[in-house]
Amino acid sequence: KVPAGHEYGDDALSARAYSLARSGKKEEAAERFAELARAMPSSPLAADARLRAGLLFAEIGKAERARALLGELPAGDPASEQQ
């Protein structure tokens, strides 16, 4: 794990999550994206991480987790328009 206060912590978590997703480990990737969004909410990567976590959880059939994460996206957030 990367400490929340680390200067590049959000980049490290994001890179790890993308790597996991590319290797087919969707649930683990979703957990890392969700961790980034939860631990570093002010990061410029947080909204995208929340979106990606929600979409991955939906893909693997974890609808409640997906709804919870996607429901936390701010209205009008540019990340909420990505897919």
Side-chain angles (χ1 to χ4, degrees), residues 1 10 12 16 22 24 26-27 35 48 54-56 58 62 67 79-80 83:
K1 288 192 173 189
D10 56 349
R16 177 71 179 139
R22 280 192 299 274
K26 292 180 181 181
E27 185 168 8
E35 179 183 353
D48 181 68
L55 293 174
L56 285 167
K62 296 198 171 195
R67 262 193 292 281
S80 67
Q83 290 199 26

Side-chain angles (χ1 to χ4, degrees), residues 3-62:
H6 190 277
E7 182 179 359
Y8 299 108
D10 56 349
D11 289 321
L13 275 174
S14 181
R16 177 71 179 139
Y18 276 108
S19 176
L20 288 164
R22 280 192 299 274
S23 67
K25 298 178 180 178
K26 292 180 181 181
E27 185 168 8
E28 199 174 341
E31 292 292 350
R32 294 298 71 77
F33 280 125
E35 179 183 353
L36 189 163
R38 180 179 55 255
M40 301 171 205
S42 61
S43 165
L45 304 176
D48 181 68
R50 186 175 309 284
L51 173 65
R52 294 188 185 283
L55 293 174
L56 285 167
F57 280 125
E59 275 186 45
I60 61 172
K62 296 198 171 195

